[in-house]
Amino acid sequence: MDRIRITGGEPLNGTIPVSGAKNAALPLMIASLLTEETLELHNVPRLADVALLLRILGNHGVDHAIAGKRPGQTAETGQSIRLKAGSIIDTVAPYELVSRMRASFWVVGPLVARMGEARVSLPGGCAIGTRPVDLLLMVLERFGATVDIDAGYVLVRAPRGLKGAEISFPKVTVGGTHTALMASVLAEGTTVIDNAACEPEVADLAQCLIKMGARITGAGTSQIVVEGVARLGGTEHTVLPDRIETGTYAMAVAMTGGDVLLEGAQPHLLQSALDVLTQAGVEIAVSNAGIRVKRNGAGISPVDVTTEPFPGFPTDLQAQLMALMSRAKGTTRIRETIFENRFMHVQELARLGARIRLDGDVAYVDGVERLKGAPVMATDLRASVSLVIAALAAEGDTMVNRVYHLDRGFEALESKLARCGARIERISG
Ligand code: EPZ
């Protein structure tokens, strides 16, 4: 298994190109199941999760072609993928595949919408919490499907097609909103989705569906209205920039000090995180080229942050913020409200010398003068990258184990950091 060795203490200076968003690319790829025509996606990040989803979609009968590198492209520029679900050959998503990536459960919506049935393995819990799918199944039942659970699989049937419905989510769910969108676009009649997730990745999916012929208004707000259509066609769509990757590198620069342009980053996608960094004493400047992050000399001020659905501070940046605040001048309070068990990085950050106390869903981080390198590992990708951020500022060497978590969500992590001066290398085997 690969590991990453980081020798801390170098400031970051230069330019980091921002990749396409993993959490937008995955549902966009799944949307290819909704049409027999070709969906061409650009700026798709080269990630293990994307490769795995291509396998899963292939199982359902989706052909894909990845466009070769164009002149001037580096490994850090996203790829273009053409997806064509000419016919769906299998409506079963097996445990072996779904258990490896929760988002693959989202095939359930389009499969039922197009084929009238799906048999999809329940995804099970994961390192950040139980993560149930009850609200996704509630959506399908509201659309008139029957839902049965048998031997770890969900069997969803709607032989006479789905019917539009009024859906009001009791809590904001990204996957629930993706499912409601992808099921309703081919349902008969009108669907109203209340308390919808406002995440930019939901709006990106809706934009693509609209180009495919769907009739959707309000995506990106808490009420989405969909008028069902009989069929969707192919289109081309460019995946939006990854706000979590942007925030992660912004925190890395805040941690080490230095001056980095996050090229292609869009500030409105992560304003809450940029506001927190500004409060912490980091300089943020926005231009047409992207976001420039700078910290010279001054230390990091502590903050008080609660994770919330968009536009609030994202849970997917909570671990990275905690790493940054481990060296703040005072005590930071971080409350996690989205997932109940997303503090697995605390023990590993402690191995590097961080002082963090947990009290229910709140973490208190007492900033320390210096961190010291150590062997560490993490159980999910955002936790793993928080260890990378801490290691970049720690004295000596840190060995980050279980690198496959990073490969799931961060395109070309080592080369992006190395080109800005980080001493980071992958050790294979
Ligand atoms: C998406 O997960 C993201 N994944 C997550 O990113 C992200 O942390 C999360 O949204 C919140 O922003 C992808 O986009 C692939 P939810 P999702 O449904 O859709 C509860 C990463 O690191 N809930 O919005 O699965 C749930 O337990 C990943 O890239 C139910 O109770 O999250 C949680 O408490 C990790 N019942 C809350 O809702 C349900 O049926 C929000 O979860 C569904 C969800």
Side-chain angles (χ1 to χ4, degrees):
M1 247 183 280
D2 289 5
R3 293 168 296 163
I4 286 182
R5 179 167 49 216
I6 297 167
T7 308
E10 304 294 334
L12 294 172
N13 285 293
T15 298
I16 296 180
V18 174
S19 293
K22 168 184 82 86
N23 288 349
L26 299 178
L28 286 165
M29 290 166 68
I30 290 173
S32 68
L33 290 166
L34 288 164
T35 175
E36 71 275 12
E37 294 182 13
T38 301
L39 174 62
E40 182 161 11
L41 298 175
H42 305 293
N43 200 30
V44 180
R46 292 174 176 81
L47 296 172
D49 272 7
V50 166
L52 178 59
L53 185 56
L54 286 174
R55 270 186 60 198
I56 292 169
L57 293 173
N59 214 43
H60 296 302
V62 182
D63 287 333
H64 75 262
I66 300 180
K69 232 184 254 182
R70 301 204 190 99
Q73 275 191 334
T74 68
E76 289 164 10
T77 55
Q79 53 196 343
S80 292
I81 304 184
R82 292 166 65 90
L83 298 146
K84 185 170 165 63
S87 58
I88 304 288
I89 56 171
D90 195 343
T91 54
V92 178
Y95 174 76
E96 300 72 55
L97 296 174
V98 177
S99 59
R100 291 173 58 189
M101 184 176 53
R102 287 186 56 85
S104 59
F105 186 81
W106 298 344
V107 297
V108 71
L111 285 177
V112 179
R114 181 158 159 200
M115 303 301 290
E117 69 164 46
R119 190 164 181 270
V120 181
S121 170
L122 282 166
C126 72
I128 62 174
T130 50
R131 302 186 74 186
V133 289
D134 56 321
L135 299 176
L136 282 66
L137 300 180
M138 178 272 282
V139 164
L140 298 168
E141 283 181 328
R142 292 302 303 272
F143 288 147
T146 59
V147 174
D148 293 294
I149 298 191
D150 178 39
Y153 279 76
V154 183
L155 180 57
V156 186
R157 284 200 205 95
R160 283 184 296 282
L162 298 172
K163 300 243 176 335
E166 290 194 5
I167 291 161
S168 184
F169 283 111
K171 65 158 47 164
V172 175
T173 154
V174 173
T177 308
H178 284 324
T179 301
L181 267 177
M182 287 195 274
S184 62
V185 285
L186 291 178
E188 191 189 317
T190 306
T191 294
V192 180
I193 310 168
D194 277 314
N195 202 22
C198 302
E199 268 64 6
E201 294 76 19
V202 170
D204 205 37
L205 172 65
Q207 285 313 316
C208 179
L209 291 170
I210 290 167
K211 286 192 247 170
M212 291 166 75
R215 293 176 58 197
I216 303 170
T217 53
T221 74
S222 61
Q223 189 184 67
I224 305 176
V225 179
V226 183
E227 298 288 343
V229 295
R231 63 177 296 280
L232 296 180
T235 193
E236 281 188 48
H237 186 77
T238 300
V239 179
L240 88 174
D242 195 318
R243 64 195 167 103
I244 304 302
E245 190 201 30
T246 306
T248 299
Y249 289 126
M251 289 190 203
V253 180
M255 185 67 158
T256 60
D259 184 349
V260 170
L261 172 67
L262 301 172
E263 197 176 38
Q266 291 180 8
H268 68 278
L269 299 177
L270 75 159
Q271 196 54 53
S272 59
L274 297 179
D275 290 346
V276 166
L277 285 171
T278 305
Q279 280 168 34
V282 181
E283 280 179 53
I284 306 282
V286 172
S287 70
N288 285 336
I291 301 173
R292 193 165 159 196
V293 182
K294 196 168 159 189
R295 186 174 73 79
N296 286 327
I300 302 154
S301 302
V303 292
D304 185 341
V305 169
T306 298
T307 62
E308 285 167 349
F310 191 84
F313 188 90
T315 175
D316 289 348
L317 284 174
Q318 180 254 106
Q320 298 90 314
L321 179 68
M322 197 178 291
L324 171 62
M325 288 301 147
S326 69
R327 289 190 64 222
K329 294 180 292 185
T331 300
T332 288
R333 180 179 175 277
I334 301 178
R335 180 159 172 249
E336 170 60 54
T337 69
I338 308 295
F339 293 110
E340 78 271 21
N341 192 23
R342 209 172 195 183
F343 283 138
M344 307 296 277
H345 40 283
V346 168
Q347 289 310 317
E348 296 300 304
L349 287 171
R351 293 175 53 74
L352 297 172
R355 286 176 49 197
I356 304 167
R357 291 168 283 132
L358 288 181
D359 181 6
D361 61 0
V362 176
Y364 295 93
V365 187
D366 296 319
V368 294
E369 192 82 1
R370 56 177 69 85
L371 300 174
K372 199 153 185 300
V376 287
M377 65 179 179
T379 41
D380 80 84
L381 74 151
R382 311 304 178 190
S384 291
V385 87
S386 78
L387 299 173
V388 171
I389 291 176
L392 288 170
E395 285 173 4
D397 284 1
T398 295
M399 191 70 86
V400 182
N401 295 294
R402 296 199 184 170
V403 167
Y404 56 84
H405 287 300
L406 293 170
D407 294 336
R408 290 187 50 197
F410 290 92
E411 185 175 34
L413 176 100
E414 306 100 272
S415 63
K416 286 188 182 186
L417 287 170
R419 62 192 272 165
C420 290
R423 288 167 66 194
I424 178 167
E425 62 171 336
R426 180 178 291 246
I427 299 165
S428 301

